[in-house]
Amino acid sequence: MDPVTGNYYAIMSMIIMYKMGMAACFNVSYYANSRLFPVIYATTVFGLCNITAKIATIGAPLAAEINQPYPEFISIAICIAIAVSAFFLKDDISN
């Protein structure tokens, strides 16, 4: 097998795994939104999350252009902030 064909299959398999991961992420976000928030607020909260995600998507190329290693620091800071804020979520459905 030549190196070009091997790289082609590796890239294609990574793209398929990326697409599967994104589909799983969207499915989990819909499920979590319905579990964590009351029905009356669920669409509003999901819309706010969508707006925040779009703003982060707009800012990602700007952060990528900053000199190294600051983009990694920004990514780590965002991940830590999200992980800490996840501890304050409560499950809304009572059994």
Side-chain angles (χ1 to χ4, degrees), residues 11-34:
I11 290 171
M12 293 307 289
S13 63
M14 287 186 183
I15 289 173
I16 290 172
M17 286 190 293
Y18 163 77
K19 287 185 171 246
M20 289 172 28
M22 289 303 296
C25 185
F26 279 115
N27 289 334
V28 168
S29 70
Y30 284 119
Y31 176 73
N33 187 46
S34 66

